[in-house]
Amino acid sequence: MNILVTGGAGYIGSHTVVELLRAGHDVVVADNLSNASEEALKRALTLVREERPDVKEIPFHLVDLRDRAGLEKLFAAHDAFDCCIHFAGRKAVGESVRKPWEYYENNVGGTLTLLDVMRRHGCKNLIFSSSATVYGDPSTVPITEECPKGRCTNPYGWTKWMLEQILTDLHAADEANGDPKPWNVVLLRYFNPIGAHPSGLIGEDPDGIPNNLMPYITQVAVGKLDHLNVFGGDYDTPDGTGVRDYIHVVDLARGHVKALAAVERGCGLAVYNLGTGRGCSVLEVVHAFEEATGVRIPYEIAPRRPGDVAACWSSPEKAERELGWKAEYGIAEMCRDAWNWQSRNPNGYKA
Ligand code: NAD
Ligand code: UD1
């Protein structure tokens, strides 16, 4: 299939570009590089060419999704796209609380422009990056797709929930109107993506001090930060620290390849959790990292972080049943690959 990947230079996008090309698809990337580097795509190409020497380039458009004319130009420059995998968006929870307008304008505004240009060019197939954040503070774990949603605690989360609603409505309207070419939409709710490509060539490259656990740990390990603050040691969890469903980014990327097959089958509207189904506490991650890498991570128990939940992990059964997708990597490989990336690239993609 001929796929447009928005945000394809970013963390999950670049790993997905590699898996799409490995699976034989054609890919065009659109990104404004607000949180990414073109170097990620150069390295993705190097990786892909080991298996697919026929791939000469990864076509890249430096374009902002809010720039309608820029998007029109992109669509005009390529053969019709069969599907768009839409990663582009801002993703920092704390920043979204400080700058809500910027988040709604970029994430919701950018997506609306993209959807309009897509339908005008006859492409009504979309795979959307949603998040476990739409479940808010879950009343039960593991979380299935049917659990209560829309109880977001920050503007970032609301953008995900609003976009899920918008996409659901587009699909429903086509159904109701008997549209001969209705929207096919796959909403993928990611749990906690971590790790990097096992080659160590591509990985997560956060700007400044990381907010998320694994990049913080790897920066402590590489000596850029001196210790980890464990946010909360008194949760109602086996060791008192927060429990999450960490998933290897390569497994997550492969979930998108499976979702494409569903789009090709004309899935209509489909929603899947992408997680491992296993919860891991902060201290378990710290110890798994130390074991996988031999590097000690000094830590201190600190106050809880506002907005955090005690425990959040998925039931990934629906994705396994309907997409034939299942996470293969465990926490040891996630830690190994995160460290491999960080130790080889202590400054990320910056020289
Ligand atoms: P990322 O920041 O690495 O990738 C997002 C990409 O989108 C970046 O390359 C950025 O430059 C680009 N971008 C942002 N706004 C744009 C715009 N207006 N026009 C064009 N490009 C734009 O983030 P990621 O971790 O790869 O996340 C990808 C998607 O998955 C995001 O939508 C994110 O919200 C979602 N998600 C991520 C996580 C996670 O933990 N990383 C969890 C759940 C959901
Ligand atoms: C966060 C976001 C979530 C988003 C996801 C991916 C919040 C409240 N939630 O999820 O919406 O989809 O990132 O971008 O920000 N921790 C520490 N010390 C640290 C960092 C984290 O102890 O320095 C703990 C946290 O308290 C949590 C766990 O590690 O228990 C995971 O945190 P993090 O990696 O930030 O992910 P989430 O909070 O689950």
Side-chain angles (χ1 to χ4, degrees), residues 124-136:
K124 290 170 73 177
N125 292 326
L126 186 95
I127 297 174
F128 176 62
S129 301
S130 189
S131 165
T133 194
V134 301
Y135 297 113

Side-chain angles (χ1 to χ4, degrees), residues 7 9-13 31-36 63-66 87-91 106 129-131 156 160 190-191 193:
Y11 172 46
I12 305 169
D31 200 301
N32 67 0
L33 299 184
S34 58
N35 192 36
V63 65
D64 192 299
L65 294 191
R66 294 161 295 180
F87 294 103
R90 291 179 177 234
K91 64 162 182 178
N106 190 60
S129 301
S130 189
S131 165
Y156 164 73
K160 293 293 174 197
Y190 311 153
F191 279 68

Side-chain angles (χ1 to χ4, degrees), residues 249-261:
V249 67
V250 171
D251 275 330
L252 190 72
R254 291 178 182 156
H256 295 74
V257 179
K258 296 288 191 183
L260 261 185

Side-chain angles (χ1 to χ4, degrees), residues 43 204-205 224 341-342 344-351:
R43 296 189 186 187
E204 186 171 13
D205 184 15
K224 285 177 125 184
W341 154 255
Q342 179 76 76
R344 284 169 182 238
N345 305 274
N347 298 313
Y349 291 113
K350 292 160 217 81

Side-chain angles (χ1 to χ4, degrees), residues 91-94 131-133 153-154 156-157 190-194 210-216 228-232 235 241-244 246 282 305-310 312:
K91 64 162 182 178
V93 171
S131 165
T133 194
T153 53
N154 55 73
Y156 164 73
Y190 311 153
F191 279 68
N192 288 59
I194 59 170
N211 296 309
N212 298 117
L213 180 63
M214 184 51 82
Y216 202 101
L228 169 74
N229 286 308
V230 175
F231 297 142
Y235 283 109
T241 68
V243 172
R244 296 290 183 276
Y246 297 95
V282 176
R305 182 171 67 177
D308 271 357
V309 302
C312 167

Side-chain angles (χ1 to χ4, degrees), residues 92-166:
V93 171
E95 186 186 54
S96 80
V97 176
R98 293 190 302 277
K99 298 180 175 177
W101 188 85
E102 282 77 358
Y103 270 69
Y104 289 114
E105 197 253 349
N106 190 60
N107 292 7
V108 182
T111 304
L112 287 174
T113 307
L114 171 71
L115 294 171
D116 195 32
V117 175
M118 282 176 67
R119 65 179 180 177
R120 286 156 55 85
H121 287 263
C123 175
K124 290 170 73 177
N125 292 326
L126 186 95
I127 297 174
F128 176 62
S129 301
S130 189
S131 165
T133 194
V134 301
Y135 297 113
D137 192 352
S139 38
T140 52
V141 277
I143 300 170
T144 67
E145 288 80 357
E146 284 68 44
C147 283
K149 291 163 288 287
R151 298 185 300 191
C152 304
T153 53
N154 55 73
Y156 164 73
W158 282 115
T159 69
K160 293 293 174 197
W161 179 238
M162 286 175 183
L163 287 167
E164 283 204 8
Q165 190 61 52
I166 290 167

